[in-house]
Amino acid sequence: MKSLTQAEDLAVTDYTLQIGYDQLSAEDIIRKIVPEDVREVPHAFESVGHIAHLNLKNELLPYKHIIGQVILDKNPSIKTVINKVGNIENEYRVFQMDVIAGKPVLETEVKQHSARFKLDYSQVYWNSRLETEHKRLVDSFRPGEVVLDVMAGIGPFAIPAAQRGCTLNVLLQVLANDLNPNSFKYLEQNIKLNKVSSKVTAFNMDARDFIRQQCSPSPDGAQPQDRTDAEPAQPSGAADASPHPALAAAFDHAIMNLPASAIEFLDAFHGAFNSRAHLEEQLPLVHCYCFQRKDESHADVQRRVETALGGTLDGNLSIHDVRLVAPNKKMLCLTFRIPAVVAFAKTLPPKESVATTGKPFLEDKSVNAADSDVSQHSKRQRT
């Protein structure tokens, strides 16, 4: 150092560098707040519009408010910080949450690719980590196809699919359904927000009844009386939507994005099609999402599907790994064409199904399962 300073005619002076709150990262600050024996602190969160979603472990709960404030301070776009309370165990896929910092405003807007979604995070299901999967599946749809979104939520598959039709300047009709009245409300709003009212029709009914109705619609749009006594679906925006052909190849794809229990709804396809109106090659593809336990093989998952369908797939199954939800649970997308023997069956599927014989597939009970993804999504932000 001495020779260098002499050669360059430099001088060495003392300098005090002060590092304060503004210079430290959120993770560094939180580590200085919590006890030293706490090994794991939040290092990332899911961003849902202006909302930061945390999953704090029990040992961090006494510090939740100050942790939330740090997140606010270090992320100018975040206005509300929530902590997940409990697990998703209800039919609407929503969870209890605790606002730990910021404004208690849970209605927000999210952007994915070219679509905008308005939602109330406390009332509907939304998962930013599925953005890549939404695009992957939508990109597989071809011009002129009709898409049935059975558990549509607020439209993360339905609206991009309709936009894809708009982009290609061809008819790509989407029939989107959700049982949750709040999801249906925001689905309607998002259809208008994204200007796809002519391509998306929204329904608010039970998924099984919706499938039955769309598989073999009668000429007046009502479900044949010998299959179910459910009331005809009440569509939204029907006046704006392109007419849906009756007694034809009603749809080309059926999306079933309810991984905890979607397989149990596959029995709705059993015997639901009119053999006089559908050709075997016109039978639709089903994209069914499910969870796979660590002790399950793909063959085990296929057996669950076949049990619910009441027929075999005979190799007609493609399995895509979506993401690792927890160390012992993976999310899959199962794609298969409905077998003719299932579609045109004259008898009902066996009553014994995964609903009664399989292990329950509820939300993972492990702590902070939502934070156990193998790959961090682009919407996961660093604290």
Side-chain angles (χ1 to χ4, degrees), residues 202-265:
F203 297 81
N204 178 211
M205 60 189 299
D206 175 78
R208 187 174 278 106
D209 295 337
F210 179 66
I211 290 172
R212 288 285 188 179
Q213 186 178 80
Q214 299 304 327
C215 283
S216 285
S218 64
D220 62 358
Q223 173 67 22
Q225 293 301 309
D226 61 336
R227 298 306 309 179
T228 179
D229 55 5
E231 291 294 323
Q234 299 300 317
S236 164
D240 298 326
S242 300
H244 186 66
L247 294 179
F251 56 94
D252 302 283
H253 300 268
I255 306 170
M256 302 177 69
N257 183 24
L258 188 66
S261 58
I263 287 179
E264 297 176 18
F265 288 85

Side-chain angles (χ1 to χ4, degrees), residues 4-5 10 39 52 62 102 110 122 136 166 204 218 244 250 348 359:
L4 178 63
T5 56
L10 301 175
R39 295 184 178 180
V110 178
S122 67
R136 180 196 71 84
C166 294
N204 178 211
S218 64
H244 186 66
L348 295 175
K359 298 179 182 178

Side-chain angles (χ1 to χ4, degrees), residues 26-45:
E27 183 177 356
D28 290 335
I29 294 171
I30 294 171
R31 287 194 179 279
K32 293 181 178 299
I33 294 170
V34 302
E36 292 183 358
D37 59 348
V38 176
R39 295 184 178 180
E40 187 175 337
V41 300
H43 62 276
F45 59 84

Side-chain angles (χ1 to χ4, degrees), residues 155-173:
F157 282 111
I159 289 172
Q163 289 179 323
R164 178 171 171 78
C166 294
T167 302
L168 296 174
N169 196 28
V170 295
L171 173 65
L172 198 159
Q173 183 68 24

Side-chain angles (χ1 to χ4, degrees), residues 10-312:
L10 301 175
V12 178
T13 61
D14 293 332
Y15 180 78
T16 302
L17 176 64
Q18 293 185 342
I19 299 177
Y21 188 83
D22 291 340
Q23 288 75 42
L24 294 174
S25 69
E27 183 177 356
D28 290 335
I29 294 171
I30 294 171
R31 287 194 179 279
K32 293 181 178 299
I33 294 170
V34 302
E36 292 183 358
D37 59 348
V38 176
R39 295 184 178 180
E40 187 175 337
V41 300
H43 62 276
F45 59 84
E46 180 183 7
S47 173
V48 183
H50 69 268
I51 302 169
H53 171 192
L54 299 178
N55 292 278
L56 298 178
K57 291 188 175 182
N58 290 335
E59 59 189 356
L60 291 174
L61 292 182
Y63 312 95
K64 63 182 181 181
H65 294 297
I66 192 167
I67 290 174
Q69 188 59 50
V70 171
I71 298 297
L72 284 180
D73 293 343
K74 294 297 180 177
N75 298 272
S77 64
I78 298 299
K79 307 300 179 185
T80 305
V81 183
I82 65 104
N83 182 50
K84 181 180 178 181
V85 180
N87 301 294
I88 301 175
E89 296 181 338
N90 57 71
E91 60 183 351
Y92 293 157
R93 296 185 288 177
V94 296
F95 59 87
Q96 292 184 333
M97 58 186 67
D98 179 20
V99 177
I100 60 175
K103 301 176 180 179
V105 177
L106 297 174
E107 186 174 75
T108 188
E109 186 174 305
V110 178
K111 293 182 180 180
Q112 281 197 356
H113 302 293
S114 59
R116 296 163 59 195
F117 299 96
K118 190 174 182 180
L119 62 103
D120 186 320
Y121 198 40
S122 67
Q123 296 180 350
V124 305
Y125 174 80
W126 179 265
N127 191 333
S128 297
R129 303 181 190 92
L130 295 178
E131 180 175 0
T132 300
E133 177 60 16
H134 296 154
K135 187 176 188 304
R136 180 196 71 84
L137 186 59
V138 168
D139 284 350
S140 71
F141 301 153
R142 296 182 297 180
E145 291 186 321
V146 177
V147 177
L148 199 69
D149 197 349
V150 182
M151 298 103 169
I154 65 168
F157 282 111
I159 289 172
Q163 289 179 323
R164 178 171 171 78
C166 294
T167 302
L168 296 174
N169 196 28
V170 295
L171 173 65
L172 198 159
Q173 183 68 24
V174 182
L175 306 177
N177 172 72
D178 203 89
L179 180 64
N180 182 351
N182 291 310
S183 293
F184 173 70
K185 178 183 74 173
Y186 283 104
L187 174 60
E188 288 189 301
Q189 292 183 28
N190 292 327
I191 290 171
K192 295 177 181 177
L193 181 65
N194 290 277
K195 297 179 173 59
V196 290
S197 296
S198 64
K199 293 184 177 291
V200 183
T201 304
F203 297 81
N204 178 211
M205 60 189 299
D206 175 78
R208 187 174 278 106
D209 295 337
F210 179 66
I211 290 172
R212 288 285 188 179
Q213 186 178 80
Q214 299 304 327
C215 283
S216 285
S218 64
D220 62 358
Q223 173 67 22
Q225 293 301 309
D226 61 336
R227 298 306 309 179
T228 179
D229 55 5
E231 291 294 323
Q234 299 300 317
S236 164
D240 298 326
S242 300
H244 186 66
L247 294 179
F251 56 94
D252 302 283
H253 300 268
I255 306 170
M256 302 177 69
N257 183 24
L258 188 66
S261 58
I263 287 179
E264 297 176 18
F265 288 85
L266 291 175
D267 64 343
F269 292 108
H270 190 95
F273 291 82
N274 186 328
S275 59
R276 293 172 298 177
H278 294 80
L279 299 176
E280 182 174 342
E281 59 266 29
Q282 291 178 318
L283 289 172
L285 287 170
V286 174
H287 310 279
C288 181
Y289 290 86
C290 74
F291 291 133
Q292 177 190 24
R293 293 181 296 266
K294 187 176 181 179
D295 60 350
E296 272 192 314
S297 65
H298 282 181
D300 294 328
V301 174
Q302 179 172 336
R303 279 191 289 271
R304 289 202 284 132
V305 170
E306 292 174 337
T307 300
L309 281 172
T312 61

